[in-house]
Amino acid sequence: MSDNNRPALDDTTEWVPYRYHPSKPAAIVFVVLFALSTFLHIFQLVKKRTWYFIPLVIGGIFEMLGYIGRVISTDDIWALGPFIMQALLLLVAPALFAASIYIILGRIILLVDGEQHSLIRQKWLTKIFVAGDVLSFLVQSGGGGIQSSGTLSSMKTGERLIIVGLFLQLVFFGFFIVVAGLFHWRLVSANSNSPPVPASSHAFESETRTTSLRGLTGSSKTSANVAPSSSPDGSLNIHELPWKRHLYALYGSSTLILVRSLFRVIEYLQGNAGYLLKHEVFLYVFDAVLMLAVVVLFNWIHPSEITEIYQKRKGEERDVELRTH
């Protein structure tokens, strides 16, 4: 036993909040990094009016507060308040990132007018996956809430609930990647015989590639000012739309969250005295770095571009319809 009748940190027969002394410098670094990315997301959200990205912003705030909890824990590793604060917020933040990612796929499907290529109708796609995400979020939060009572039995019960919530997240997220990949394959196959991209589209692609930079610098000019053309049969020419870069960003972020969730499942299955929980480096390598990469990725490839182009096209379609009637 250690001082003050507390168990030793390496005593595997006892439950302890931390199996190590948390690093204050590492926690402070990630507080700052998540704060910078999240504040930039808030600016982008308000400027571009992409309100469906609110869950990701809240997730970024959770990450920032979670690492603040770890900073506080460095002063007293036995204080349950800061420990539960960091454990719960860092645990559920990726579920909020996932909610925004699900919505992005729905926006991409609208952009390319590709609902016929989706395994699930666009109307239900976001609802189904967000509902699954909410369920996972609630189960994980419930597990964290039970742990807040501080008793040994509540800690173990809470861990079991958290594992169930993480498995739910893995199932829904895995299915989502399958749906996105199948949509991508069907869309490409259906447009493999479409006409070559006209020379003018190269200018369009150049314009869309600079959209993210202009969004960061505050320029009012966006790629939405360029309208995609139609194929000879009147169908939408998807080759002039920047849907691929957003779909690849979706794949990248989904993979990062999936790896992180697998890490968390293994961590909780090993238990309080498990190898992963004994070494702080794993938390930063397989959680902090991966989740920071997710929020920074969407700072760079912001989905506001999808919304702007889609709204521009729909507005022009309405104008044409009014002129022809």
Side-chain angles (χ1 to χ4, degrees), residues 19-312:
R19 292 286 174 181
Y20 50 77
H21 290 277
S23 167
K24 179 175 282 189
I28 290 175
V29 166
F30 279 92
V31 168
V32 172
L33 292 176
F34 274 109
L36 290 173
S37 178
T38 301
F39 291 149
L40 179 54
H41 269 296
I42 292 173
F43 170 77
Q44 291 173 307
L45 181 146
V46 174
K47 184 175 186 295
K48 301 295 185 179
R49 303 179 69 83
T50 48
W51 308 122
Y52 56 86
F53 238 42
I54 288 177
L56 185 136
V57 170
I58 295 174
I61 293 172
F62 277 15
E63 292 280 359
M64 180 179 64
L65 294 177
Y67 287 102
I68 288 175
R70 292 186 70 86
V71 172
I72 298 172
S73 285
T74 60
D75 297 325
D76 182 6
I77 65 171
W78 299 99
L80 281 181
F83 169 77
I84 292 172
M85 171 184 171
Q86 63 87 32
L88 181 59
L89 293 179
L90 297 183
L91 183 68
V92 301
L96 295 167
F97 298 158
S100 288
I101 290 172
Y102 296 147
I103 296 172
I104 291 174
L105 180 59
R107 295 297 192 277
I108 292 174
I109 291 173
L110 287 175
L111 176 68
V112 299
D113 195 19
E115 186 172 16
Q116 69 274 22
H117 305 304
S118 177
L119 186 64
I120 302 173
R121 290 183 60 186
Q122 190 275 335
K123 175 183 177 181
W124 294 104
L125 184 144
T126 301
K127 293 178 182 178
I128 290 173
F129 286 111
V130 170
D133 197 55
V134 170
L135 177 61
S136 167
F137 178 89
L138 292 176
V139 173
Q140 292 179 66
S141 299
I146 291 173
Q147 288 185 323
S148 65
S149 65
T151 65
L152 182 60
S153 61
S154 68
M155 290 296 176
K156 292 182 177 179
T157 301
E159 283 180 356
R160 295 190 192 100
L161 269 179
I162 289 170
I163 291 171
V164 171
L166 286 169
F167 268 112
L168 284 172
Q169 188 177 67
L170 282 173
V171 169
F172 275 96
F173 219 78
F175 182 47
F176 171 75
I177 293 175
V178 170
V179 170
L182 184 60
F183 163 75
H184 188 176
W185 178 75
R186 287 177 172 177
L187 181 66
V188 171
S189 298
N191 289 273
S192 60
N193 296 320
S194 58
V197 182
S200 60
S201 70
H202 295 300
F204 175 81
E205 288 295 335
S206 176
E207 178 69 22
T208 57
R209 279 194 294 269
T210 60
T211 300
S212 297
L213 289 174
R214 288 168 176 165
L216 298 180
T217 57
S219 173
S220 60
K221 184 178 180 181
T222 69
S223 62
N225 293 325
V226 182
S229 64
S230 298
S231 300
D233 61 358
S235 62
L236 185 68
N237 189 346
I238 67 166
H239 298 295
E240 291 191 347
L241 296 170
W243 61 275
K244 284 186 179 180
R245 68 196 299 264
H246 291 282
L247 197 56
Y248 289 143
L250 183 149
Y251 288 148
S253 58
S254 297
T255 301
L256 292 172
I257 294 176
L258 198 62
V259 171
R260 175 264 176 197
S261 297
L262 282 170
F263 158 71
R264 284 295 196 171
V265 166
I266 296 171
E267 179 188 60
Y268 275 93
L269 286 175
Q270 288 184 349
N272 179 254
Y275 184 80
L276 294 179
L277 276 176
K278 288 180 180 178
H279 300 83
E280 187 179 22
V281 64
F282 291 114
L283 171 74
Y284 284 101
V285 171
F286 291 105
D287 196 320
V289 171
L290 300 188
M291 294 306 93
L292 180 64
V294 169
V295 292
V296 171
L297 176 62
F298 286 119
N299 281 134
W300 182 253
I301 305 179
H302 199 268
S304 59
E305 181 181 41
I306 301 173
T307 306
E308 290 173 353
I309 297 174
Y310 176 72
Q311 290 176 345
K312 176 72 173 179

